[in-house]
Amino acid sequence: MITTNLNTQISAIPSLLTIQEYEQNITENPQEVTNYWYLGLALLLAGREEEAQIAWMTPLLEFGEEESEQWLLQLTEILFNAAQQQETDSQSQLAWVIRQHIREFVPGDINNLLKIIELNIDLKIEDWETTINQLIAIISELIEPPIFDETLLVQVIEKLLLPNPVNPPALIDKLVEAFIPYLINSETIIKLLIDKADSYYFCFNLGMSIYFCKIGFRLEPDSLYFTVKIISTLQLLGRDYYQESIDWANKYLATSPEPIKQIYGTHYLLAAFLESLENPEKALQTYQKYKQLLCDLVSSETESKSLLTNSLLAFGHFFLYMEDNPHENRLIRNRLATLCQKMIWKEFPEEINIYQQRLNKPRPALSKRPLRIGYVSECFRSHSVGYLAWWLLKYHNRQEFDIHLYSLKENIYDLQQQAYQNEFGDHFHQLCPPIVTIADKINEDEIDILVDLDSLTSYGNCAILALKPAPIQVTWLGYDATGLPGVDYFIADNYVLPASAQDYYTEKIWRLPQNYIGIDGFTVGTPTISRESLDIPNDGIIYFSSQSGLKRNPDNIRLQMQIIKQVPNSYFLLKTSRSNHEDMQNFIAPLAEAQGLDLECFRFLPTAPTEMEHRANLAIADIVLDTYPYNGATTTLETLWMGVPIVTRVGEQFAARNSYTMMMNVGVTEGLAWSDEEYVEWGVRLGKDEKLRQEIVWKLRKSRQTSPLWNGQKFAREMENAYQQMWQRYIHP
């Protein structure tokens, strides 16, 4: 007998009169077997399980077995319908009881067993392993392909995975393995797996996304989608997953010499090498191959069906980390972006037509209504972009500008996100892919100027801008420009890009009069490190670097080590996002040995618990050594705000001039280096000259009251002036 407690299901129990009616019907017509089936069901729902079983068995025992097979089919159909009705009515306990009896009558029904596993999980009944083993045994003995609901199978796998998708129980893999032969060549299951992988990816449940992709990969080993998603998502998990992503990338590269596949594999292999700090020589070799493959791609202007548009948008951003060569690299990036936009327009012709119709309408003058500005980002939260954009958005003149925010990340409990929601109310739009849903909303809101805050760091943003849902589209803040033909302007200033930059930008460079970023400063917490805790003497000279793995270029680190070597009693603090420092030490050790440096002068710091504490920890530094060819951006702002001198190598590309423009705008030129030799010279000089350091600290403190860099309100007025001028150019071309 199946035991269960039905006391909590009183509302679902039929009245005694109903049971009596069935009993009366049986007395009057004992040969009508359906009365026994419904009587048994009524008794079961009333909690009288033994009596229910007797009612069902009576016809089989009293009337012989000639029609027993047909009767059994009839009974199970009634029970199936009853179970589905209980599930529809959210009566999971009753549904579970009914399905257990179905299990007794037809133990080989796969869908019923899958449903029982699902109900076991929902009801927290620790019996799902037994049922899975039974299901696997049934499938393994089949001769003919089984009939089952693929969607139900995916739902069950989903619920089994949720507690630990990264390291699921081996039994789940065995279940998937049993079904794999019967899923191959099913378009339905492939689409379902893609949808699941995408939805969990965008909700940042990366383990679930990877698992569904791995199932898909087993069904379609040649699938570019599943391979790329697995590799890229493993890299988002970081730390312990880089090696697995390297293995997947190498395996993928070995599958085909096709150029498109080689580009994808090389792209993700390079990402893994750079993020993991593993083998700088291999990273450089991989980069050289990667760049050549991209040159070949844009030269051929291939629009292969193998290309995944969102992944294509990512290609080329490693240029910024590997070399300062915008004259050559931006042209490749621009042609990639053009190819990407072409593909997107072919994919969404109806939407493009709708958006273009608006562009052909009469262009309204500013006096008719406030200019409508839309900002799109994944980072309206505790993120560098979220912090820095806050001041402009907060200080916008809401009388003259109608501001809309389009957030592409799920709603999470986050203080910065909550601040945005409180500030903008129903003009804060929480949206999720597909991209046309977001573009449609922007078009419906009749946004005049759409500002992308993330650029290449968000492929979703890029795809939205490629659709051109707004008459004027602008890139600002988050990264270098995208190169998309659909973007009209790139916000810069006179320092962050040289005068010649327009030669290699497709976007019109809109130069603000002083600086391309302005904020009111930062909130600073309490330090979590001290000289004593790091075993550094009070008279020791502390150099600091807090950049990510991608920015840690070996050539730049060698220059930093030359500085440390020449300054007596100096120490170098390197921040790492890893839980242990082994990877960073393995990366640094051979470089230090080559320079004749002892590892004793290095300190490896974990990520601070909060951004506020990270800023407070910067105060321990005597000098910050910036990275090259990709400078700090937010980290440079934080360094200057904390009053710490910085040495930066100024280059040509946008990423190599962020620190330059910020230092110029706070009135500090000490530490600006225009060559590797100057970088080392400034680093050594600042380490040895305490008086010079104090003068810089005084300038930085004074700049808090005078610099346009620390005046968010003034910066907002300059951006608003730029928007008005852009609109005037649009309506009076």
Side-chain angles (χ1 to χ4, degrees), residues 310-358:
N310 280 1
S311 299
L312 176 62
L313 286 163
F315 293 162
H317 81 271
F318 289 127
F319 294 158
L320 304 178
Y321 298 96
M322 300 299 291
E323 59 177 335
D324 181 22
N325 186 7
H327 297 276
E328 187 176 286
N329 292 340
R330 276 226 58 90
L331 297 181
I332 300 171
R333 174 63 235 174
N334 294 342
R335 292 173 74 178
L336 279 168
T338 300
L339 177 60
C340 176
Q341 180 159 310
K342 276 177 160 181
M343 293 168 62
I344 289 175
W345 278 44
K346 285 185 177 179
E347 189 175 353
F348 302 104
E350 293 181 14
E351 287 79 8
I352 295 295
N353 184 52
I354 292 170
Y355 307 151
Q356 291 295 304
Q357 285 176 14
R358 184 184 167 210

Side-chain angles (χ1 to χ4, degrees), residues 367-548:
S367 58
K368 293 188 177 180
R369 62 165 173 79
L371 198 57
R372 220 164 269 166
I373 312 293
Y375 292 89
V376 59
S377 176
E378 293 184 353
C379 304
F380 293 118
R381 52 190 170 89
S382 297
H383 182 281
S384 292
V385 168
Y387 293 132
L388 301 184
W390 170 255
W391 302 105
L392 166 63
L393 299 176
K394 175 186 176 182
Y395 286 129
H396 259 311
N397 183 334
R398 308 290 177 82
Q399 302 301 314
E400 294 186 20
F401 297 87
D402 185 11
I403 306 299
H404 290 254
L405 274 54
Y406 301 93
S407 175
L408 307 190
K409 277 290 185 185
E410 77 279 6
N411 198 359
I412 56 175
Y413 180 73
D414 178 274
L415 291 177
Q416 188 66 46
Q417 187 182 79
Q418 192 62 53
Y420 275 115
Q421 289 173 328
N422 293 341
E423 182 74 20
F424 291 93
D426 61 1
H427 279 201
F428 184 90
H429 310 289
Q430 199 86 42
L431 301 168
C432 287
I435 59 169
V436 289
T437 302
I438 303 159
D440 283 346
K441 174 63 176 167
I442 292 167
N443 183 62
E444 288 166 11
D445 290 340
E446 295 188 336
I447 295 301
D448 300 315
I449 300 177
L450 181 63
V451 185
D452 166 29
L453 301 183
D454 302 346
S455 188
L456 298 179
T457 60
S458 168
Y459 312 143
N461 282 26
C462 292
I464 292 164
L465 267 68
L467 289 168
K468 192 70 172 177
I472 299 174
Q473 299 192 147
V474 179
T475 296
W476 171 66
L477 186 59
Y479 211 68
D480 201 351
T482 63
L484 287 166
V487 178
D488 302 283
Y489 298 105
F490 178 51
I491 301 293
D493 58 41
N494 289 321
Y495 299 116
V496 78
L497 284 176
S500 61
Q502 191 62 70
D503 294 342
Y504 45 83
Y505 276 86
T506 58
E507 303 89 343
K508 172 69 177 175
I509 298 172
W510 193 286
R511 297 180 187 270
L512 296 177
Q514 291 179 295
N515 45 289
Y516 85 93
I517 177 68
I519 64 174
D520 279 2
F522 295 97
T523 304
V524 180
T526 303
T528 56
I529 58 174
S530 65
R531 285 176 176 258
E532 183 180 4
S533 69
L534 297 174
D535 192 25
I536 296 176
N538 290 334
D539 61 348
I541 303 300
I542 296 179
Y543 292 90
F544 196 104
S545 172
S546 63
Q547 303 296 357
S548 70

Side-chain angles (χ1 to χ4, degrees), residues 320-325 547 550-557 559-560 625-632 648-653 655-657 673-676 679:
L320 304 178
Y321 298 96
M322 300 299 291
E323 59 177 335
D324 181 22
N325 186 7
Q547 303 296 357
L550 279 178
K551 292 185 181 181
R552 288 208 167 102
N553 187 292
D555 291 336
N556 181 240
I557 290 179
L559 298 179
Q560 294 170 341
L625 296 179
D626 199 8
T627 47
Y628 176 85
Y630 200 126
N631 294 167
T648 187
R649 165 77 161 85
V650 186
E652 285 193 74
Q653 65 183 5
R657 298 171 70 93
W674 296 88
S675 67
D676 290 348
Y679 183 86

